Amino acid sequence: MIAYENLLELNKPFTARFKEQFDEFLASGWYILGNSVKRFEQEYAAWNQSAYCIGLANGLDALTLALKAYNFEPGSEVIVPSNTYIATILAILNNNLKPVLVEPDIRTYNINPQLIEEAITTRTRAIMVVHLYGKCCAMAAILAIKSKHNFVLIEDCAQAHGAMFNGTKTGTFGEFGAFSFYPTKNLGALGDAGAITTNDNKLAGIIRQLRNYGSDQKYYNERIGTNSRLDELQAAFLSVKLQALDNINNHKRNLANLYLQNLKRDYILPVVEDGYYDVYHIFNVRHERRDALKAYLLENGVGTEIHYPIAPHEQKAMQEVLKGQTFPVAKEIHDTTLSLPCSYWHTPQQVMQVVEVMNKFV
Ligand SMILES: *Cc1c(COP(=O)(O)O)cnc(C)c1O
């Protein structure tokens, strides 16, 4: 059986250093916002070519606090892709703002820049782009729209640690980059963790306060904040894994290339375009008979996942909010997409086995 993911295998190469980090943590007697968080924030900012990184409790909080920093008037509109993971939309709703869903480009699965302009109104305050599956969005077009209209750009980088467009890393194009270090992400902790990147000193200060009860001086509260501190131990683990992140991304890119070169053309494969450095958080194919393909692969010892089976606008929780709107491109993707094994611990041989099985599917 080739599992889709196996977190035990994924983290095996790091076990000895995790244990060292735990021993140091235990010996330090300092459990919250200590040196490990500070160190990781500096390391991640440097790695991501961002001026600042603020460690947070998870990726949803990163998205939520990025919007909260602006205190937009309730009901203000925030543009978001219709095929994102639900978290991006929840961040908007959690701030009493109105999500305006825009369809993706069916080729890239990322927000379609041509449709963004049509969705902008006088109430638009922000756009949350999502670099889905590890591919950077069409940032040249999006930045051109940003310079024409006045809105805040927040990047959901939860699936795109290290993805680039023209050599520029995700999380540095907009006012904020929001990262998740959920265990399965390209940079994954051993629990929940997240971060915001920004190049703006003032915005960094606001996020630093918001994550800690609106305070950066004990018992002096300047804002209505929350508790969303990055855990000290998770920060220590993340520093260990950050050293391997370039290798992890390279490995996933190599596996993706094997799929791209060897899968038969019955499958709709991810597009590869000049200027884009994709990190394949998810390697997906699309197929009309996706459910039959998934069952066939399972019978033949290959685990797969669907990202995601139900489009946000079809979720029960969203019926009030997105009342009767339809998003056919998102629906098409959700109905046909299948994610293949493409993790750091998978071998090229395993991927070629998956290819062999897939190429026999009729
Ligand atoms: C994982 C993910 C999130 C949420 O991250 P958490 O750390 O689980 O809160 C947000 N957006 C996208 C696109 C994600 O894949």
Side-chain angles (χ1 to χ4, degrees), residues 153-323:
L153 176 62
I154 295 167
E155 302 173 64
D156 182 339
C157 306
Q159 304 191 0
H161 316 73
M164 290 186 271
F165 171 65
N166 282 349
T168 303
K169 278 184 172 162
T170 63
T172 63
F173 291 100
E175 276 76 9
F176 285 123
F179 288 86
S180 164
F181 306 119
Y182 185 82
T184 58
K185 309 290 184 179
N186 285 29
L187 179 59
L190 304 184
D192 276 311
I196 274 181
T197 54
T198 181
N199 288 323
D200 185 311
N201 177 42
K202 189 163 158 261
L203 291 175
I206 294 173
I207 299 296
R208 224 171 266 124
Q209 291 184 337
L210 286 176
R211 74 161 174 199
N212 192 30
Y213 298 110
S215 160
D216 42 24
Q217 192 189 345
K218 210 173 185 180
Y219 306 131
Y220 289 80
N221 303 88
E222 291 187 28
R223 297 172 189 280
I224 307 290
T226 186
N227 177 353
S228 181
R229 299 175 295 230
L230 171 59
D231 183 73
E232 186 69 4
L233 189 53
Q234 296 304 332
F237 295 150
L238 284 167
S239 281
V240 169
K241 268 180 109 173
L242 180 58
Q243 290 179 20
L245 183 50
D246 287 324
N247 285 340
I248 292 171
N249 285 346
N250 277 331
H251 186 83
K252 287 166 76 77
R253 282 171 54 79
N254 288 338
L255 299 182
N257 277 328
L258 283 179
Y259 282 128
L260 290 168
Q261 284 160 17
N262 295 292
L263 280 175
K264 64 179 179 179
R265 298 296 125 177
D266 300 26
Y267 299 109
I268 301 173
L269 301 174
V271 290
V272 179
E273 289 175 306
D274 279 355
Y276 288 85
Y277 185 90
D278 307 329
V279 296
Y280 298 100
H281 168 59
I282 285 164
F283 184 92
N284 82 315
V285 297
R286 288 198 300 117
H287 193 278
E288 261 180 19
R289 290 168 51 236
R290 186 267 318 275
D291 293 337
L293 173 64
K294 184 172 178 32
Y296 161 83
L297 287 171
L298 190 61
E299 270 165 37
N300 287 278
V302 178
T304 57
E305 290 284 343
I306 297 171
H307 299 94
Y308 298 90
I310 303 173
H313 71 281
E314 298 199 321
Q315 295 285 358
K316 194 173 162 206
M318 292 292 151
Q319 289 322 298
E320 276 292 293
V321 182
L322 302 173
K323 294 183 212 65

Side-chain angles (χ1 to χ4, degrees), residues 58-60 63 84-85 87-88 130 156 158-159 180 182 185 193 308:
N58 56 64
L60 173 60
L63 294 162
T84 187
Y85 179 60
T88 332
V130 182
D156 182 339
Q159 304 191 0
S180 164
Y182 185 82
K185 309 290 184 179
Y308 298 90

